[in-house]
Amino acid sequence: MNRALLTIIAMALTMPCMAQSQKRLQEEAARKEAEKSPTAVTLSQRARSQYTAQTSVPEEVTWKRDIYRELDLTKEKNAALYYPEEPLGDRVNFFTLVFNLILDGRIKAYEYRLDGNERFLPDNLLDIESMLDRFYIDYTKDEKTGKYIVAQKDIPSSEIGKYYIKESNYLDQMSNYHTKVTAICPVMIDSDFGDEATKKPMFWLNYDEISPYLGQTPVMTSSFNNTSNMSLDDYFVLGCYDGEIYKTSNLRNQPLSDYCDTDSALKAERQNIEDQLIGFQKGLWNEKTVSSSKNAKDKPAEEASAETGARKTESDDKSGSKTREKKEKQPKPARTPKQASSGERISVHR
């Protein structure tokens, strides 16, 4: 009876250990399977903070203005996002990287809404199968894992001609000015219908979520110097791209094209917004400089004023004593009997 009881207790104690061991084996197998993909990167929460140069926009800021820009990949500064057009060893372009990460379930993508605004909420998560069908991308589906598989040759990276990005310009609680990319949207260019190309935005990506992966991806930013001297994360954080403003966050959610009737008016409005941002920064720095200079000079100025006053008093005392000495040395005019008796003033001509 005792042996049977001991056997039952031993089995009860070992079963959780066996379950935990089996769970660890499954996690290890899943990790190894994920590492087979050249773009798959398993990141811990600690590693995420180490692989990105950008911090999130604080929830509480004193001033903020959001700007939407269009990055044309035919421009030299933006070619870093397009190169290499085809994978070179373990090197892939920006779209291929994020596309594979989406298929692997590493990052989330969000639907591009009709209003053009990003919405990073669960109810707006991208339906991957719907997106693949909508953009005519060939794929297969693994019935066991439920993941979508797209062959390397079928990834439409060469059809991505533009990117929409959202910049947040803001002042933190310490009145420090920052400009940070917060969202990115790849735009497919379709030129099959007539001469005019059609823009087809695909999905929005939350930059905070993808930045750790970008931090591990080297990028070539110069045709003259082919050394990979920065990561894709550095590229965005340092603002190495060249993008034209097409919208700002406003109460009516209007892009610039809605109220700029001509190309010249559109160009002038873009420049006006750029000048406003630059002017705001300059005004902020001038205000800081004046404030700090005033604080730095207030005390010395007071001390200098006191010192000057002391010197002036000392000088006055010295000059006064010298004057008194001169007056004492000068002979006093003799009083007439009338003046001495009556105290009347008389004019004395020297």
Side-chain angles (χ1 to χ4, degrees):
M1 185 67 181
N2 291 336
R3 287 185 179 180
L5 184 60
L6 290 173
T7 303
I8 293 173
I9 294 173
M11 290 179 64
L13 292 173
T14 55
M15 284 180 67
C17 297
M18 292 173 63
Q20 291 179 4
S21 178
Q22 186 176 3
K23 184 179 179 181
R24 283 196 299 270
L25 290 174
Q26 290 175 351
E27 290 177 351
E28 183 68 18
R31 185 184 65 79
K32 289 182 179 180
E33 182 67 25
E35 288 178 349
K36 291 180 181 179
S37 172
T39 59
V41 184
T42 304
L43 295 177
S44 64
Q45 199 65 27
R46 181 179 178 183
R48 284 177 179 271
S49 63
Q50 293 176 343
Y51 282 123
T52 179
Q54 174 168 282
T55 56
S56 302
V57 178
E59 293 183 2
E60 296 184 1
V61 295
T62 57
W63 176 88
K64 182 181 177 184
R65 189 173 191 187
D66 293 326
I67 303 291
Y68 292 83
R69 296 184 183 272
E70 180 182 282
L71 276 58
D72 187 348
L73 297 189
T74 60
K75 293 184 177 181
E76 179 69 19
K77 285 188 175 181
N78 302 328
L81 300 175
Y82 188 81
Y83 179 86
E85 183 176 352
E86 299 293 336
L88 292 176
D90 61 345
R91 295 189 63 181
V92 295
N93 59 39
F94 176 72
F95 180 79
T96 301
L97 173 68
V98 296
F99 188 79
N100 283 328
L101 289 172
I102 292 170
L103 296 182
D104 289 343
R106 310 280 177 147
I107 62 174
K108 298 174 183 177
Y110 299 83
E111 295 286 353
Y112 185 90
R113 294 148 45 94
L114 292 177
D115 60 7
N117 292 338
E118 75 293 345
R119 190 166 179 266
F120 300 137
L121 294 174
D123 62 349
N124 198 48
L125 282 171
L126 178 71
D127 185 324
I128 297 178
E129 185 170 341
S130 175
M131 181 269 294
L132 295 173
D133 292 335
R134 186 164 63 248
F135 293 99
Y136 304 101
I137 302 172
D138 293 332
Y139 66 91
T140 58
K141 187 175 182 180
D142 189 331
E143 298 300 332
K144 293 182 179 180
T145 62
K147 292 184 178 181
Y148 297 90
I149 302 171
V150 177
Q152 192 69 45
K153 63 182 180 64
D154 294 323
I155 298 176
S157 58
S158 60
E159 300 176 41
I160 305 300
K162 297 179 184 293
Y163 284 96
Y164 293 154
I165 67 168
K166 180 183 178 181
E167 287 179 352
S168 288
N169 302 270
Y170 66 94
L171 288 180
D172 60 20
Q173 294 291 329
M174 301 299 292
S175 295
N176 295 316
Y177 188 92
H178 302 271
T179 299
K180 293 184 179 180
V181 177
T182 57
I184 301 178
C185 171
V187 182
M188 186 180 289
I189 303 299
D190 189 354
S191 57
D192 292 341
F193 302 98
D195 296 332
E196 186 176 354
T198 305
K199 301 175 186 178
K200 295 183 176 181
M202 297 186 69
F203 45 78
W204 280 110
L205 297 168
N206 187 336
Y207 189 85
D208 285 346
E209 187 175 351
I210 67 174
S211 60
Y213 299 97
L214 304 186
Q216 299 179 81
T217 306
V219 63
M220 189 175 72
T221 57
S222 171
S223 298
F224 178 73
N225 182 4
N226 301 151
T227 303
S228 299
N229 53 5
M230 70 169 60
S231 68
L232 273 171
D233 187 48
D234 296 327
Y235 173 83
F236 283 109
V237 171
L238 297 175
C240 299
Y241 51 83
D242 180 11
E244 292 183 336
I245 298 173
Y246 71 89
K247 187 175 74 168
T248 65
S249 292
N250 56 77
L251 297 177
R252 301 182 65 182
N253 194 36
Q254 282 185 309
L256 272 60
S257 57
D258 279 6
Y259 58 89
C260 296
D261 299 331
T262 62
D263 291 341
S264 58
L266 182 62
K267 184 177 180 180
E269 179 63 12
R270 285 171 176 162
Q271 189 59 50
N272 180 47
I273 296 170
E274 298 280 12
D275 291 342
Q276 287 176 358
L277 293 173
I278 294 172
F280 181 82
Q281 293 181 63
K282 286 184 177 179
L284 178 68
W285 285 111
N286 288 341
E287 183 180 347
K288 282 186 175 182
T289 303
V290 171
S291 177
S292 60
S293 298
K294 184 179 179 182
N295 292 335
K297 291 180 179 179
D298 277 347
K299 188 173 181 180
E302 293 173 0
E303 293 176 355
S305 177
E307 185 179 350
T308 303
R311 286 199 301 267
K312 186 176 180 182
T313 304
E314 184 179 354
S315 176
D316 290 344
D317 292 342
K318 290 181 179 180
S319 64
S321 62
K322 289 181 179 179
T323 305
R324 286 194 297 271
E325 290 177 1
K326 287 182 179 180
K327 286 182 179 180
E328 290 175 358
K329 291 180 180 179
Q330 289 177 357
K332 294 181 180 180
R335 291 184 178 183
T336 60
K338 184 179 179 181
Q339 183 184 6
S341 59
S342 63
E344 294 179 357
R345 294 181 61 186
I346 61 173
S347 297
V348 178
H349 298 281
R350 296 189 178 93

